[in-house]
Amino acid sequence: MQVGKPILYSYFRSSCSWRVRIALALKGIDYEMMPINLVKDGGQQLAIIEYLEETRPTPRLLPQDPKKRASVRMISDLIAGGIQPLQNLSVLKQVGQENQLTWAQNAITSGFNALERILQSTAGRYCVGDEVSMADLCLVPQVANAERFKVDLTPYPTISRINKTLLALEAFQVSHPCRQPDTPAELRA
Amino acid sequence: MQVGKPILYSYFRSSCSWRVRIALALKGIDYEMMPINLVKDGGQQLAIIEYLEETRPTPRLLPQDPKKRASVRMISDLIAGGIQPLQNLSVLKQVGQENQLTWAQNAITSGFNALERILQSTAGRYCVGDEVSMADLCLVPQVANAERFKVDLTPYPTISRINKTLLALEAFQVSHPCRQPDTPAELRA
Protein backbone atom coordinates (compact mmCIF):
# COMPACT_ATOMS: atom_id res chain seq x y z
CA MET A 1 0.00 0.00 0.00
CA GLN A 2 1.45 3.35 -1.09
CA VAL A 3 2.25 5.86 1.65
CA GLY A 4 -0.04 8.88 1.59
CA LYS A 5 -2.66 7.32 -0.66
CA PRO A 6 -6.08 7.70 0.94
CA ILE A 7 -7.79 4.54 2.17
CA LEU A 8 -11.56 4.20 1.89
CA TYR A 9 -13.16 1.80 4.35
CA SER A 10 -16.04 0.70 2.16
CA TYR A 11 -18.93 -1.73 2.10
CA PHE A 12 -20.17 -2.53 -1.40
CA ARG A 13 -23.86 -2.15 -0.56
CA SER A 14 -23.72 0.84 1.78
CA SER A 15 -25.25 3.93 0.21
CA CYS A 16 -22.96 6.06 2.40
CA SER A 17 -19.84 4.40 0.97
CA TRP A 18 -21.22 4.67 -2.54
CA ARG A 19 -21.67 8.45 -2.23
CA VAL A 20 -18.00 8.81 -1.36
CA ARG A 21 -16.89 6.46 -4.15
CA ILE A 22 -18.72 8.65 -6.68
CA ALA A 23 -17.01 11.79 -5.31
CA LEU A 24 -13.59 10.13 -5.53
CA ALA A 25 -14.29 9.00 -9.11
CA LEU A 26 -15.52 12.46 -10.17
CA LYS A 27 -12.47 14.15 -8.71
CA GLY A 28 -10.13 11.52 -10.15
CA ILE A 29 -8.59 10.71 -6.78
CA ASP A 30 -6.68 7.43 -6.61
CA TYR A 31 -7.29 5.44 -3.42
CA GLU A 32 -6.96 2.07 -1.77
CA MET A 33 -10.15 0.34 -0.78
CA MET A 34 -10.46 -1.56 2.46
CA PRO A 35 -13.73 -3.50 2.34
CA ILE A 36 -15.42 -3.82 5.72
CA ASN A 37 -18.61 -5.68 6.39
CA LEU A 38 -19.87 -3.13 8.83
CA VAL A 39 -22.16 -0.26 8.04
CA LYS A 40 -22.07 2.93 10.07
CA ASP A 41 -25.31 4.84 10.61
CA GLY A 42 -26.32 8.16 9.32
CA GLY A 43 -24.93 10.74 6.99
CA GLN A 44 -21.44 11.01 8.43
CA GLN A 45 -19.88 10.38 5.04
CA LEU A 46 -21.04 13.84 3.92
CA ALA A 47 -18.19 15.15 6.09
CA ILE A 48 -15.76 13.23 3.84
CA ILE A 49 -17.35 14.71 0.73
CA GLU A 50 -17.18 18.26 2.12
CA TYR A 51 -13.53 17.64 3.03
CA LEU A 52 -12.78 16.40 -0.50
CA GLU A 53 -14.53 19.47 -1.89
CA GLU A 54 -12.35 21.81 0.17
CA THR A 55 -9.03 20.06 -0.46
CA ARG A 56 -9.66 19.01 -4.11
CA PRO A 57 -11.95 21.71 -5.46
CA THR A 58 -11.97 20.49 -9.10
CA PRO A 59 -14.47 19.51 -10.44
CA ARG A 60 -16.63 21.18 -7.87
CA LEU A 61 -19.49 19.29 -6.21
CA LEU A 62 -21.10 22.43 -4.75
CA PRO A 63 -22.29 25.27 -7.00
CA GLN A 64 -20.69 28.71 -6.56
CA ASP A 65 -23.95 30.53 -5.89
CA PRO A 66 -24.88 30.43 -2.14
CA LYS A 67 -28.59 29.84 -2.84
CA LYS A 68 -27.85 26.96 -5.17
CA ARG A 69 -25.37 25.59 -2.63
CA ALA A 70 -28.14 25.71 -0.03
CA SER A 71 -30.43 23.79 -2.39
CA VAL A 72 -27.73 21.15 -2.91
CA ARG A 73 -27.21 20.81 0.84
CA MET A 74 -30.94 20.74 1.56
CA ILE A 75 -31.43 17.86 -0.88
CA SER A 76 -28.32 16.04 0.41
CA ASP A 77 -29.44 16.43 4.03
CA LEU A 78 -32.98 15.35 3.21
CA ILE A 79 -31.62 12.09 1.79
CA ALA A 80 -28.64 11.50 4.10
CA GLY A 81 -30.34 12.76 7.26
CA GLY A 82 -34.05 12.31 6.61
CA ILE A 83 -34.38 9.09 4.62
CA GLN A 84 -31.31 6.85 4.77
CA PRO A 85 -30.96 6.76 8.61
CA LEU A 86 -34.54 5.45 8.88
CA GLN A 87 -34.01 2.51 6.55
CA ASN A 88 -30.48 1.41 7.36
CA LEU A 89 -29.60 -2.06 8.60
CA SER A 90 -29.38 -1.37 12.32
CA VAL A 91 -32.78 0.36 12.41
CA LEU A 92 -34.45 -2.38 10.38
CA LYS A 93 -33.05 -4.92 12.81
CA GLN A 94 -34.68 -3.04 15.70
CA VAL A 95 -37.99 -2.82 13.82
CA GLY A 96 -38.18 -6.60 13.51
CA GLN A 97 -38.25 -8.83 10.43
CA GLU A 98 -42.02 -8.81 10.01
CA ASN A 99 -42.33 -5.02 9.74
CA GLN A 100 -39.08 -4.23 7.90
CA LEU A 101 -40.40 -3.89 4.38
CA THR A 102 -43.34 -1.64 5.32
CA TRP A 103 -41.15 0.48 7.60
CA ALA A 104 -38.51 1.03 4.91
CA GLN A 105 -41.11 1.76 2.25
CA ASN A 106 -42.81 4.34 4.50
CA ALA A 107 -39.52 6.07 5.23
CA ILE A 108 -38.58 6.22 1.57
CA THR A 109 -41.96 7.27 0.14
CA SER A 110 -42.47 10.00 2.72
CA GLY A 111 -38.97 11.32 1.91
CA PHE A 112 -39.44 10.97 -1.85
CA ASN A 113 -42.76 12.86 -1.71
CA ALA A 114 -40.85 15.86 -0.34
CA LEU A 115 -37.87 15.30 -2.63
CA GLU A 116 -39.92 15.11 -5.84
CA ARG A 117 -41.54 18.50 -5.03
CA ILE A 118 -38.18 20.10 -4.27
CA LEU A 119 -36.55 18.75 -7.43
CA GLN A 120 -39.39 20.10 -9.56
CA SER A 121 -38.17 23.59 -8.68
CA THR A 122 -34.38 23.02 -8.54
CA ALA A 123 -33.60 20.45 -11.22
CA GLY A 124 -32.09 20.96 -14.62
CA ARG A 125 -30.35 18.00 -16.15
CA TYR A 126 -29.35 17.02 -12.59
CA CYS A 127 -30.73 17.67 -9.08
CA VAL A 128 -29.74 21.34 -9.03
CA GLY A 129 -29.28 22.85 -12.47
CA ASP A 130 -27.01 21.25 -15.04
CA GLU A 131 -23.94 20.49 -12.93
CA VAL A 132 -23.40 17.23 -11.05
CA SER A 133 -23.37 18.06 -7.33
CA MET A 134 -23.28 16.46 -3.89
CA ALA A 135 -27.07 16.13 -4.15
CA ASP A 136 -26.68 13.77 -7.11
CA LEU A 137 -24.17 11.67 -5.14
CA CYS A 138 -26.90 11.20 -2.54
CA LEU A 139 -29.75 10.61 -4.98
CA VAL A 140 -28.47 7.61 -6.94
CA PRO A 141 -27.62 5.37 -3.94
CA GLN A 142 -30.97 6.24 -2.33
CA VAL A 143 -32.93 5.32 -5.47
CA ALA A 144 -31.06 1.99 -5.54
CA ASN A 145 -32.20 1.42 -1.94
CA ALA A 146 -35.76 2.27 -2.95
CA GLU A 147 -35.57 -0.36 -5.69
CA ARG A 148 -34.22 -2.95 -3.24
CA PHE A 149 -37.21 -2.27 -0.99
CA LYS A 150 -39.60 -2.51 -3.98
CA VAL A 151 -40.85 1.07 -3.71
CA ASP A 152 -43.12 2.03 -6.65
CA LEU A 153 -41.28 4.88 -8.40
CA THR A 154 -44.12 5.86 -10.74
CA PRO A 155 -45.15 8.88 -8.59
CA TYR A 156 -41.58 10.24 -8.84
CA PRO A 157 -40.90 11.09 -12.49
CA THR A 158 -38.29 13.77 -11.73
CA ILE A 159 -36.35 11.54 -9.33
CA SER A 160 -36.47 8.68 -11.86
CA ARG A 161 -35.41 10.82 -14.80
CA ILE A 162 -32.40 12.35 -12.99
CA ASN A 163 -31.36 8.95 -11.61
CA LYS A 164 -31.33 7.46 -15.10
CA THR A 165 -29.28 10.34 -16.51
CA LEU A 166 -26.74 10.03 -13.68
CA LEU A 167 -26.36 6.26 -14.01
CA ALA A 168 -25.09 6.81 -17.55
CA LEU A 169 -22.05 8.68 -16.20
CA GLU A 170 -18.74 6.82 -15.75
CA ALA A 171 -18.22 7.96 -12.11
CA PHE A 172 -21.57 6.51 -11.09
CA GLN A 173 -20.84 3.23 -12.87
CA VAL A 174 -17.35 2.48 -11.51
CA SER A 175 -18.58 3.23 -7.98
CA HIS A 176 -21.71 1.06 -8.29
CA PRO A 177 -22.26 -1.64 -5.61
CA CYS A 178 -22.36 -4.33 -8.30
CA ARG A 179 -18.73 -3.60 -9.24
CA GLN A 180 -16.89 -3.47 -5.91
CA PRO A 181 -14.13 -5.81 -4.65
CA ASP A 182 -16.40 -7.09 -1.86
CA THR A 183 -19.48 -7.58 -4.08
CA PRO A 184 -20.61 -11.22 -3.79
CA ALA A 185 -20.48 -13.13 -7.09
CA GLU A 186 -24.26 -13.42 -7.42
CA LEU A 187 -24.68 -9.62 -7.29
CA ARG A 188 -21.95 -8.73 -9.78
CA ALA A 189 -22.72 -7.05 -13.08
CA MET B 1 -43.09 42.83 8.97
CA GLN B 2 -40.04 44.54 7.50
CA VAL B 3 -39.19 43.80 3.88
CA GLY B 4 -36.02 41.75 3.47
CA LYS B 5 -35.80 40.60 7.07
CA PRO B 6 -35.38 36.85 7.18
CA ILE B 7 -38.27 34.81 8.57
CA LEU B 8 -37.58 31.69 10.61
CA TYR B 9 -40.36 29.13 10.65
CA SER B 10 -39.70 27.73 14.10
CA TYR B 11 -41.12 25.29 16.64
CA PHE B 12 -40.00 25.96 20.19
CA ARG B 13 -39.19 22.34 21.01
CA SER B 14 -37.64 21.24 17.70
CA SER B 15 -33.91 20.63 18.03
CA CYS B 16 -33.55 21.48 14.33
CA SER B 17 -35.08 24.95 14.85
CA TRP B 18 -32.99 25.49 17.95
CA ARG B 19 -29.75 24.87 16.07
CA VAL B 20 -30.66 27.61 13.61
CA ARG B 21 -31.74 30.01 16.37
CA ILE B 22 -28.31 29.62 17.99
CA ALA B 23 -26.58 30.36 14.67
CA LEU B 24 -28.71 33.48 14.15
CA ALA B 25 -27.96 34.67 17.69
CA LEU B 26 -24.21 34.07 17.32
CA LYS B 27 -24.08 35.95 14.04
CA GLY B 28 -26.26 38.75 15.39
CA ILE B 29 -28.80 38.43 12.60
CA ASP B 30 -32.16 40.07 13.25
CA TYR B 31 -35.14 37.99 12.10
CA GLU B 32 -38.89 37.52 12.38
CA MET B 33 -40.08 34.30 13.89
CA MET B 34 -43.10 32.45 12.55
CA PRO B 35 -43.97 29.72 15.03
CA ILE B 36 -45.32 26.57 13.39
CA ASN B 37 -46.51 23.51 15.21
CA LEU B 38 -45.07 21.15 12.67
CA VAL B 39 -41.71 19.46 12.87
CA LYS B 40 -39.85 18.48 9.73
CA ASP B 41 -37.68 15.36 9.80
CA GLY B 42 -33.98 15.10 9.59
CA GLY B 43 -31.06 17.41 9.46
CA GLN B 44 -32.26 19.70 6.71
CA GLN B 45 -31.68 22.78 8.85
CA LEU B 46 -27.92 22.26 8.50
CA ALA B 47 -28.39 23.63 4.97
CA ILE B 48 -29.63 26.89 6.54
CA ILE B 49 -26.62 27.01 8.84
CA GLU B 50 -24.18 26.41 5.97
CA TYR B 51 -25.96 29.13 3.98
CA LEU B 52 -25.66 31.56 6.90
CA GLU B 53 -21.98 30.68 7.19
CA GLU B 54 -21.36 31.49 3.54
CA THR B 55 -23.37 34.70 3.42
CA ARG B 56 -22.54 36.00 6.93
CA PRO B 57 -19.06 34.64 7.63
CA THR B 58 -18.52 36.44 10.98
CA PRO B 59 -18.19 34.95 13.56
CA ARG B 60 -17.37 31.77 11.76
CA LEU B 61 -19.11 28.51 12.70
CA LEU B 62 -16.65 26.33 10.77
CA PRO B 63 -12.91 26.35 11.57
CA GLN B 64 -10.51 27.45 8.82
CA ASP B 65 -8.45 24.25 8.83
CA PRO B 66 -9.98 21.61 6.49
CA LYS B 67 -9.32 18.74 8.93
CA LYS B 68 -10.97 20.59 11.78
CA ARG B 69 -13.86 21.51 9.47
CA ALA B 70 -14.24 17.81 8.67
CA SER B 71 -14.35 17.04 12.42
CA VAL B 72 -17.04 19.68 12.92
CA ARG B 73 -19.09 18.28 10.05
CA MET B 74 -18.61 14.68 11.18
CA ILE B 75 -19.93 15.54 14.64
CA SER B 76 -22.79 17.62 13.22
CA ASP B 77 -23.78 14.85 10.82
CA LEU B 78 -23.55 12.20 13.52
CA ILE B 79 -26.06 14.15 15.60
CA ALA B 80 -28.27 15.60 12.85
CA GLY B 81 -28.16 12.52 10.61
CA GLY B 82 -27.41 9.64 12.96
CA ILE B 83 -29.26 10.40 16.18
CA GLN B 84 -31.98 13.04 15.82
CA PRO B 85 -33.82 11.44 12.85
CA LEU B 86 -34.25 8.21 14.87
CA GLN B 87 -35.90 9.89 17.83
CA ASN B 88 -38.02 12.57 16.22
CA LEU B 89 -41.78 12.79 16.62
CA SER B 90 -42.87 11.12 13.39
CA VAL B 91 -40.62 8.09 13.96
CA LEU B 92 -41.73 7.70 17.58
CA LYS B 93 -45.32 7.76 16.39
CA GLN B 94 -44.58 4.87 14.04
CA VAL B 95 -42.80 2.93 16.78
CA GLY B 96 -45.91 2.99 18.98
CA GLN B 97 -46.48 4.52 22.41
CA GLU B 98 -45.40 1.45 24.40
CA ASN B 99 -41.91 1.23 22.84
CA GLN B 100 -41.18 4.94 22.39
CA LEU B 101 -39.03 5.55 25.43
CA THR B 102 -36.81 2.49 24.91
CA TRP B 103 -36.48 3.21 21.19
CA ALA B 104 -35.44 6.84 21.77
CA GLN B 105 -33.03 5.88 24.56
CA ASN B 106 -31.38 3.25 22.34
CA ALA B 107 -30.96 5.70 19.47
CA ILE B 108 -29.45 8.34 21.74
CA THR B 109 -27.11 6.09 23.78
CA SER B 110 -25.77 4.31 20.72
CA GLY B 111 -25.08 7.72 19.12
CA PHE B 112 -23.63 9.19 22.31
CA ASN B 113 -21.27 6.21 22.74
CA ALA B 114 -19.72 7.11 19.38
CA LEU B 115 -19.89 10.85 20.07
CA GLU B 116 -18.16 10.67 23.46
CA ARG B 117 -15.21 8.80 21.89
CA ILE B 118 -14.93 11.30 19.04
CA LEU B 119 -15.09 14.31 21.38
CA GLN B 120 -12.32 12.87 23.54
CA SER B 121 -9.96 13.43 20.61
CA THR B 122 -11.40 16.66 19.13
CA ALA B 123 -12.63 18.73 22.07
CA GLY B 124 -11.03 21.70 23.72
CA ARG B 125 -13.34 24.04 25.54
CA TYR B 126 -15.99 23.16 22.94
CA CYS B 127 -16.65 20.21 20.58
CA VAL B 128 -13.71 20.97 18.30
CA GLY B 129 -11.00 23.05 19.92
CA ASP B 130 -11.76 26.32 21.65
CA GLU B 131 -14.07 27.96 19.09
CA VAL B 132 -17.85 27.56 19.07
CA SER B 133 -18.77 25.72 15.85
CA MET B 134 -21.70 24.12 14.04
CA ALA B 135 -21.00 20.97 16.05
CA ASP B 136 -21.84 22.83 19.27
CA LEU B 137 -25.10 24.07 17.73
CA CYS B 138 -26.02 20.42 17.21
CA LEU B 139 -24.80 19.18 20.59
CA VAL B 140 -26.84 21.30 22.98
CA PRO B 141 -30.29 20.60 21.46
CA GLN B 142 -29.47 16.88 21.31
CA VAL B 143 -28.45 16.76 24.97
CA ALA B 144 -31.74 18.48 25.85
CA ASN B 145 -33.55 15.71 23.94
CA ALA B 146 -31.54 13.09 25.85
CA GLU B 147 -32.67 14.68 29.11
CA ARG B 148 -36.30 14.69 27.97
CA PHE B 149 -36.01 10.96 27.27
CA LYS B 150 -34.36 10.38 30.67
CA VAL B 151 -31.06 9.08 29.26
CA ASP B 152 -28.43 8.57 31.98
CA LEU B 153 -25.61 10.97 31.06
CA THR B 154 -23.06 9.65 33.58
CA PRO B 155 -21.17 7.63 30.91
CA TYR B 156 -20.69 10.82 28.86
CA PRO B 157 -18.49 13.21 30.88
CA THR B 158 -17.12 15.04 27.82
CA ILE B 159 -20.56 15.58 26.29
CA SER B 160 -21.90 16.79 29.65
CA ARG B 161 -19.00 19.13 30.32
CA ILE B 162 -19.17 20.81 26.89
CA ASN B 163 -22.95 21.09 27.09
CA LYS B 164 -22.73 22.88 30.42
CA THR B 165 -20.08 25.30 29.14
CA LEU B 166 -22.18 26.11 26.07
CA LEU B 167 -25.39 26.68 28.02
CA ALA B 168 -23.65 29.51 29.85
CA LEU B 169 -23.34 31.45 26.57
CA GLU B 170 -25.90 34.14 25.71
CA ALA B 171 -26.62 32.76 22.18
CA PHE B 172 -27.56 29.39 23.60
CA GLN B 173 -29.80 30.96 26.24
CA VAL B 174 -31.86 33.33 24.07
CA SER B 175 -32.46 30.50 21.58
CA HIS B 176 -33.50 27.98 24.27
CA PRO B 177 -36.89 26.22 23.83
CA CYS B 178 -38.02 27.53 27.23
CA ARG B 179 -37.83 31.13 25.97
CA GLN B 180 -39.60 31.07 22.60
CA PRO B 181 -42.82 32.88 21.59
CA ASP B 182 -44.61 29.55 21.14
CA THR B 183 -43.38 27.99 24.40
CA PRO B 184 -46.41 26.95 26.49
CA ALA B 185 -46.65 28.74 29.84
CA GLU B 186 -45.89 25.62 31.90
CA LEU B 187 -42.55 25.11 30.11
CA ARG B 188 -41.30 28.69 30.33
CA ALA B 189 -38.21 29.62 32.30
Side-chain angles (χ1 to χ4, degrees):
Chain A
M1 205 170 282
Q2 201 180 310
V3 178
K5 212 176 190 182
I7 302 168
L8 179 67
Y9 295 85
S10 177
Y11 176 55
F12 78 100
R13 179 176 267 160
S14 158
S15 57
C16 301
S17 303
W18 189 5
R19 287 176 208 143
V20 178
R21 292 196 303 261
I22 303 170
L24 289 164
L26 282 170
K27 289 182 179 284
I29 299 172
D30 192 23
Y31 64 101
E32 299 283 341
M33 192 178 308
M34 187 79 84
I36 44 162
N37 200 339
L38 200 157
V39 188
K40 285 280 263 183
D41 290 357
Q44 297 169 57
Q45 280 71 1
L46 281 183
I48 301 181
I49 297 171
E50 295 265 5
Y51 176 79
L52 290 176
E53 180 70 4
E54 285 165 358
T55 54
R56 309 278 191 115
T58 312
R60 63 166 178 256
L61 299 177
L62 284 167
Q64 277 186 306
D65 173 61
K67 285 194 183 170
K68 281 196 177 169
R69 290 165 80 93
S71 294
V72 167
R73 289 203 171 100
M74 177 178 62
I75 293 165
S76 305
D77 290 344
L78 169 61
I79 297 171
I83 307 176
Q84 193 277 339
L86 298 179
Q87 52 95 90
N88 71 18
L89 292 182
S90 73
V91 169
L92 292 184
K93 214 168 145 185
Q94 266 191 80
V95 167
Q97 193 145 18
E98 219 169 291
N99 307 313
Q100 280 184 7
L101 194 68
T102 315
W103 175 280
Q105 287 173 342
N106 284 344
I108 294 170
T109 54
S110 111
F112 275 17
N113 290 341
L115 183 59
E116 177 72 18
R117 276 198 308 276
I118 292 169
L119 290 177
Q120 277 166 13
S121 70
T122 62
R125 188 166 170 77
Y126 305 118
C127 284
V128 178
D130 297 320
E131 267 179 53
V132 172
S133 72
M134 195 164 73
D136 300 298
L137 276 55
C138 294
L139 182 78
V140 168
Q142 186 57 58
V143 173
N145 280 345
E147 287 167 347
R148 273 176 61 216
F149 291 116
K150 302 182 198 316
V151 170
D152 175 17
L153 293 176
T154 324
Y156 312 114
T158 316
I159 293 176
S160 303
R161 192 256 304 159
I162 298 170
N163 181 60
K164 203 179 152 192
T165 310
L166 288 164
L167 278 173
L169 302 179
E170 171 80 3
F172 289 74
Q173 290 173 1
V174 295
S175 58
H176 198 283
C178 69
R179 288 175 60 179
Q180 300 311 304
D182 56 333
T183 310
E186 68 273 20
L187 296 176
R188 291 196 163 274
Chain B
M1 205 170 283
Q2 201 180 310
V3 179
K5 211 176 191 183
I7 302 168
L8 178 68
Y9 294 86
S10 177
Y11 176 55
F12 78 100
R13 178 176 268 161
S14 158
S15 57
C16 302
S17 303
W18 189 4
R19 287 177 207 142
V20 178
R21 292 196 302 262
I22 303 169
L24 289 162
L26 282 170
K27 289 183 180 285
I29 299 172
D30 192 24
Y31 64 101
E32 299 284 340
M33 191 177 308
M34 188 78 84
I36 44 162
N37 200 341
L38 199 158
V39 187
K40 284 280 261 182
D41 290 358
Q44 296 168 58
Q45 280 72 2
L46 281 183
I48 300 182
I49 297 171
E50 295 265 5
Y51 176 78
L52 290 176
E53 181 70 4
E54 285 165 358
T55 54
R56 308 278 192 114
T58 311
R60 63 166 178 255
L61 298 178
L62 284 167
Q64 276 185 307
D65 173 62
K67 286 195 183 170
K68 282 196 176 168
R69 289 165 82 91
S71 294
V72 167
R73 288 201 170 102
M74 177 177 62
I75 294 166
S76 305
D77 290 345
L78 169 61
I79 297 171
I83 306 177
Q84 194 277 341
L86 298 178
Q87 53 96 86
N88 71 18
L89 292 181
S90 72
V91 169
L92 292 183
K93 214 169 145 184
Q94 268 190 79
V95 167
Q97 194 145 16
E98 218 170 291
N99 307 312
Q100 281 184 6
L101 194 68
T102 315
W103 174 281
Q105 287 173 342
N106 284 345
I108 294 170
T109 54
S110 110
F112 275 17
N113 289 343
L115 183 59
E116 177 71 19
R117 275 200 308 278
I118 292 169
L119 290 177
Q120 277 165 13
S121 69
T122 62
R125 189 167 171 76
Y126 306 118
C127 284
V128 178
D130 296 320
E131 267 179 53
V132 171
S133 72
M134 195 164 73
D136 299 299
L137 276 55
C138 294
L139 183 78
V140 168
Q142 185 57 57
V143 173
N145 281 345
E147 287 167 347
R148 272 176 62 217
F149 291 116
K150 303 184 198 316
V151 170
D152 175 18
L153 293 176
T154 324
Y156 312 114
T158 317
I159 293 175
S160 302
R161 192 254 306 159
I162 298 170
N163 181 61
K164 204 179 150 190
T165 310
L166 288 164
L167 279 173
L169 303 178
E170 171 80 6
F172 289 75
Q173 290 173 2
V174 295
S175 58
H176 198 282
C178 69
R179 289 174 61 179
Q180 300 311 305
D182 56 334
T183 310
E186 68 274 20
L187 296 176
R188 291 196 161 273

